[in-house]
Amino acid sequence: MGSVTGSPGSSIAPIAAAVTVLLLLGIGIYAVAVLDRLVGRAVAREPLRLRAVLIAPVREAALLLMQQRISTERPDAQLWAFAPALLGALAAAGLAVVPASGGSGMTGSIPGMSAGIVYFGAAMAIVMVAVFLQGWAANSVLPLIGGYRFVAQALSYEMPLALVLIAAALPAQSLSVVEIVRSQHAVWNVVRQPLGLPLYLIAASGLAFWGPLNFPDGADLVGGTAAELSGAPLLFWKAARTAVLVAAAAMGAAAFLDGWWGPFIPGPLWMALKTLALLVIIILAGHLLDRVRLERFVVVSWVVLIPVALVDVFLSGLVALWTGGQGGGP
Amino acid sequence: MREIVFWAMAIAAVVTAWRVFRADSMVRAAYWLMASFVAVGVILVLLGAEFLGLVLLLMMAGEMTIMAVFMVMFMMNPAGLNPMTMVHQHRTSIVAGVVAFAGLAGVGILGRFPDARVSEPDRATAQLGGELLGDSMLVFETAGVALLATMIGALAIASSKGRYGGADEGSAPPELGRAGEPPTTKAGERDTGEQRAGQHEAEDEHAGHGGTMSGMEM
């Protein structure tokens, strides 16, 4: 979703690309904020009130920007300011590698980079650092517990996340996200790797600590890593976390739903629609499912999700050998 | 452009590595070290080893966090929030540092390194895979099995269910007597080994729904 549409060659100005990514990320954050409210109202069978819902995120952001910032006693101020920025930057870095369309000259751009899926994995692995620092830097108990919780949580979802992405790369015989999308034109990965997308969505909600997997920011910790935040830092923290969700959904659309490929409407629109569809699923799960206990999630993740993800890699490899072996790859 | 990035990252790697020892908090020291690794990872990417550089970042994010958590756990420093110095045993560390630097610098100056350019990162990744499962397979698999054995050993040591009962036992509240009073001291009885073993076998039965799991709660 990050690249400038189909501009040929590597002549894309890096600044223009960065601005595009940030713009798309901003739109995505706003879309999630609106969707979250709409889905919440739909689940509660309340009237939707579209106009109010469309204005609500802007109103909340403006309110937070005007509010006073509070501080704790002797926080690690530099790291405290650094953590939300790092989280937002990682989301942008992750989104940058997701292609919005299949231009011919993708090789020089970030979406065309040969180890794109590893790049995404690396960016998402550092999310753990950002959330832990956010919890640690406040010099306060509840955020600290939230930070420690996220470390346990991250160690549990990271393996399934990495494994299903590896499985998605197998039929493409490439680690490049563009090639992964191209390999799905005949059969989408969501069809030929039925275990992949469900596991990915669970891992993605863990990554953005969303819905039932919101352990570090949970209500039982009175906000957890966000407990001591107020005003603009709270707004940035929420936005950065939502941005991570957007980036994860965009990568899910590229890795499992054939990215930009589709009839009638241009590629970037397909990409946006597929990303939105995945976001709706995650947000709906957040409203319908109750939060589980962290211990249970950790145990389920290591005992069930990781073995299932390994089975997914194995089956995907078999299918790829079976169907793509004689074709000679991409 | 490449040259500028290289020098920026090379300087960043050295400066952040120096900051590791000037930091006064364990978490800061761990993440300065990670910043140093990030700079090295970018240099690897510049060298055409895209996969290796990115995997370095991917691994270090988790490793440094775990290292920070473990340091906080072992240091008896409440939550790791109090400042503390990162430098100890000055004389030994100076000698070790000078020797290591001289050795590595000697290798750097006297050694011969291949200077052929890597044509495509993609091929480099494929070649790496071929190497891992080809000529060097024995080396890497041996290292892999050794690491796996270490991991299993670490898990066995850290497991909450040890030979002598659950690790969370000490934190479990004492059972109440019939009238709702805490039991009068049983310490004398508990000390005999046989009873202890028997008791633990019995306790293992319902350890599952004790529900404390203090290790996870953090």
Side-chain angles (χ1 to χ4, degrees):
Chain A
M1 204 159 157
S3 88
V4 181
T5 12
S7 28
S10 54
S11 59
I12 308 165
I15 297 171
V19 168
T20 315
V21 168
L22 289 181
L23 205 66
L24 289 172
L25 212 51
I27 295 171
I29 292 169
Y30 177 71
V32 171
V34 169
L35 274 177
D36 195 29
R37 288 174 169 80
L38 277 182
V39 171
R41 281 169 179 272
V43 168
R45 296 180 189 277
E46 288 170 2
L48 290 182
R49 299 227 185 92
L50 199 59
R51 264 186 68 156
V53 164
L54 284 175
I55 298 174
V58 183
R59 191 187 294 257
E60 194 188 321
L63 192 64
L64 281 176
L65 277 177
M66 286 189 297
Q67 272 176 358
Q68 182 198 7
R69 296 182 192 188
I70 52 165
S71 185
T72 54
E73 188 185 342
R74 300 194 62 184
D76 192 330
Q78 292 163 336
L79 284 183
W80 212 14
F82 176 64
L86 178 64
L87 191 66
L90 290 171
L95 190 69
V97 82
V98 183
S101 71
S104 50
M106 302 291 280
T107 40
S109 60
I110 293 184
M113 80 187 282
S114 70
I117 204 98
V118 189
Y119 170 86
F120 180 81
M124 293 303 123
I126 303 177
V127 165
M128 168 159 59
V129 176
V131 179
F132 178 72
L133 282 183
Q134 173 72 15
W136 183 82
N139 195 14
S140 170
V141 173
L142 294 174
L144 186 69
I145 296 174
Y148 279 139
R149 275 189 182 184
F150 191 75
V151 174
Q153 174 183 356
L155 293 175
S156 308
Y157 71 69
E158 252 174 21
M159 288 303 291
L161 182 75
L163 288 171
V164 295
L165 285 179
I166 289 171
L170 285 177
Q173 300 186 18
S174 167
L175 295 171
S176 152
V177 186
V178 174
E179 292 303 329
I180 289 173
V181 174
R182 282 193 185 135
S183 75
Q184 302 175 61
H185 290 349
V187 196
W188 289 10
N189 271 347
V190 67
V191 177
R192 64 183 166 189
Q193 302 178 358
L195 296 172
L197 189 60
L199 284 175
Y200 182 84
L201 290 180
I202 294 173
S205 8
L207 181 67
F209 39 108
W210 200 270
L213 301 185
N214 184 5
F215 303 119
D217 271 15
D220 57 338
L221 290 181
V222 205
T225 50
E228 299 286 0
L229 293 174
S230 60
L234 180 59
L235 175 66
F236 288 131
W237 182 245
K238 283 184 169 179
R241 170 198 177 200
T242 315
V244 171
L245 186 70
V246 172
M251 178 49 96
F256 296 99
L257 300 180
D258 198 14
W260 68 78
W261 195 258
F264 308 126
I265 54 174
L269 261 182
W270 270 118
M271 192 61 209
L273 283 178
K274 289 168 180 173
T275 306
L276 278 181
L278 290 186
L279 283 174
V280 167
I281 294 176
I282 293 177
I283 290 171
L284 193 61
H287 282 284
L288 288 179
L289 302 178
D290 213 353
R291 211 172 61 88
V292 293
R293 279 183 71 82
L294 176 58
E295 293 95 313
R296 175 158 295 180
F297 173 68
V298 169
V299 169
V300 167
S301 180
W302 282 88
V303 176
V304 181
L305 297 185
I306 294 178
V308 172
L310 282 169
V311 169
D312 179 49
V313 172
F314 185 69
L315 289 182
S316 308
L318 270 189
V319 171
L321 278 181
W322 217 292
T323 56
Q326 62 271 47
Chain B
M1 180 66 189
R2 263 162 191 273
E3 235 102 287
I4 296 171
V5 177
F6 170 78
W7 281 110
M9 285 301 132
I11 292 168
V14 174
V15 171
T16 48
W18 166 65
R19 291 304 302 174
V20 171
F21 299 99
R22 303 305 301 166
D24 61 357
S25 102
M26 287 171 282
V27 172
R28 276 196 170 210
Y31 286 125
W32 275 123
L33 188 57
M34 172 158 178
S36 184
F37 276 120
V38 169
V40 173
V42 173
I43 292 177
L44 277 176
V45 172
L46 281 182
L47 286 172
E50 247 179 32
F51 180 79
L52 277 184
L54 292 170
V55 163
L56 180 73
L57 303 189
L58 201 156
M59 292 287 129
M60 281 309 140
E63 270 169 35
M64 290 302 139
T65 309
I66 292 169
M67 193 176 85
V69 169
F70 267 71
M71 287 198 297
V72 170
M73 267 161 51
F74 286 135
M75 284 299 174
M76 304 295 160
N77 178 347
L81 294 172
N82 293 350
M84 62 179 288
T85 175
M86 290 287 118
V87 195
H88 308 282
Q89 293 172 292
H90 297 245
R91 200 169 297 165
T92 325
S93 49
I94 288 172
V95 172
V98 168
V99 169
F101 180 78
L104 289 175
V107 171
I109 293 169
L110 302 175
R112 276 196 192 169
F113 296 101
D115 55 358
R117 277 183 180 274
V118 179
S119 52
E120 292 169 65
D122 211 4
R123 295 255 344 249
T125 308
Q127 281 170 351
L128 180 71
E131 187 70 29
L132 282 177
L133 290 175
D135 291 344
S136 309
M137 187 170 177
L138 191 64
V139 179
F140 284 107
E141 289 306 305
T142 313
V145 171
L147 282 175
L148 183 66
T150 318
M151 267 156 54
I152 293 172
L155 277 178
I157 291 171
S159 158
S160 68
K161 253 191 182 179
R163 283 172 68 181
Y164 303 108
D168 51 355
E169 209 172 330
S171 63
E175 290 168 24
L176 296 181
R178 194 174 288 171
E181 292 166 1
T184 47
T185 172
K186 278 185 183 173
E189 297 169 34
R190 282 196 135 209
D191 268 357
T192 57
E194 280 173 31
Q195 274 184 350
R196 220 178 179 178
Q199 231 171 5
H200 283 306
E201 269 170 29
E203 274 168 17
D204 271 359
E205 298 281 315
H206 50 251
H209 38 94
T212 41
M213 286 194 66
S214 56
M216 307 307 294
E217 226 128 52
M218 291 205 282

